[in-house]
Each structure stands twice: as C-alpha cells, then as structure tokens.
Amino acid sequence: QVQLVQSGAEVKKPGASVKVSCKASGYTFTSYGISWVRQAPGQGLEWMGWISAYNGNTNYAQKLQGRVTMTTDTSTSTAYMELRSLRSDDTAVYYCARDPPGSGWQDYWGQGTLVTVSS
Amino acid sequence: EIVLTQSPATLSLSPGERATLSCRASQSVSSYLAWYQQKPGQAPRLLIYDASNRATGIPARFSGSGSGTDFTLTISSLEPEDFAVYYCQQRSNWPSSDFGGGTKVEIK
C-alpha cells in the first residue's frame, strides 16, 4: 500500500533552517511528483511547491522563492523540503503528498511534521 | 496567483441533510479544480478532482460540479463522519497551485 512517512517534529529558532523528510513506499517513486503543503495552527492549507521525482524539476510558491528547496533521493525513495531563514509565521504542520503524473492533485499524504519556530 | 473564495465559512447542518459548498475562482480555472476533506489532526483526503471526478474509494454521496470560475461540492445526505473542513484547490497554472480558505461543516 502507498505510504508517505515523514520525519518527526522540530523546534527551531528564528533565522535557522529546517529540513523535513518524506519516505515513500508502495509505489514506483520516480513515476510521481511530490508536493509540499503547510498548515499554520488553526489556519487553512498553503501550497508550497512541487518536485518531479523523475527528473528533479521543481516549482515553488512565489512567496517562498529563495527560502525553500525541495529535493529527492531516488536511491531511498525519499523527498526533502528545506526551509531557511525561519520566522515565527513559518510555524506550521508540513505535509508531503504524492502527485499522479500530470494531474496536479495530491492523492496520498504523509502524516505531517510540526515545525515550531520560537526563540 | 489565483484566489479561491469558499463559502460559506461555516455550514451548520444535521445528519441526513444535504450540504452544498461553493468555491469561486478569481479567474477561469477551466475544470482544473479539486476538493479535499480534512478532519482534526489528520491530513487532507482527496475527494473530487477535475471538478467532477470522484477519487478512489470516495462514496457516491459526494459529487462535484462546475467549470470556469464557479464550483460546487454537494454531499447528498450527511453521514456523521462527513463533519469536517473542506478545501478546494486549483491547478490551472500547474505546476503552481492554490487552495481556498475552507468551509467547515459542523453538526447543528
């Protein structure tokens, strides 16, 4: 069965970086994309960006350009999302999700990773 | 950026009633719209994609309609497990995407 298992919760200070991992199983990793979506406490969903696990092509939300990097390691079927220069408003649950090829939709989701930014 | 406006913000209904949720786009997104359900403490779940196609395993009481700028998610008869928050998402300018602000369906 398809599973996306994310790394554990993180607490970071303002200005630091965080790197969240997302290990995929149950499907051919390189045949799908991975999107990252975050959700601040009590708020709605925010699309952060997408990476093709086939060729590493990426597209990031404009507001995060320059602070976010998404990568994949096809040898371990793992996707990563790194966010730099953290601010308090980056406190959120970060989700990875699988994108069927060419679809733009997210059909399987990880369990979420809480990132808390606090001094 | 395409802005998706969902209404109402909260819908108070009883089990067995019909729920009608709206999503309006700031410009045409053709049929490139999806709906997700999210329960507290859980990840979102894909319900509807391409405006009207049910995702795998989604019950027939969920249906989607619309195109262009106006879309509707209908739950024909609410089950207890349907009380949740629902989000629409557009992907007309993929690989960019946007979510709406959500509609909470609560028990009246």
Side-chain angles (χ1 to χ4, degrees), chain B residues 54-96:
Chain B
R54 273 190 302 279
T56 303
I58 301 304
R61 64 181 182 272
F62 292 92
S63 64
S65 63
S67 66
T69 60
D70 289 296
F71 299 86
T72 301
L73 173 70
T74 301
I75 310 171
S76 59
S77 178
L78 282 164
E79 297 288 338
E81 62 268 27
D82 298 337
F83 292 92
V85 180
Y86 293 83
Y87 295 94
C88 58
Q89 179 199 24
Q90 71 81 23
R91 66 103 173 166
S92 68
N93 51 349
W94 188 253
S96 287

Side-chain angles (χ1 to χ4, degrees), chain A residues 45-83:
Chain A
L45 303 174
E46 179 184 9
W47 183 83
M48 299 178 65
W50 166 88
I51 182 167
S52 166
Y54 173 72
N55 58 17
N57 285 350
T58 56
N59 192 62
Y60 304 135
Q62 194 161 1
K63 70 175 284 189
L64 297 174
Q65 289 274 1
R67 288 207 300 138
V68 68
T69 301
M70 296 174 188
T71 57
T72 59
D73 181 346
T74 57
S75 69
T76 59
S77 298
T78 303
Y80 299 92
M81 186 284 300
E82 182 180 33
L83 189 60

Side-chain angles (χ1 to χ4, degrees), chain A residues 39 47 59 99 103 105-106, chain B residues 36 38 89 91 94-96:
Chain A
Q39 187 170 37
W47 183 83
N59 192 62
D99 282 26
S103 74
W105 315 126
Q106 291 78 58
Chain B
Y36 295 82
Q38 187 180 34
Q89 179 199 24
R91 66 103 173 166
W94 188 253
S96 287

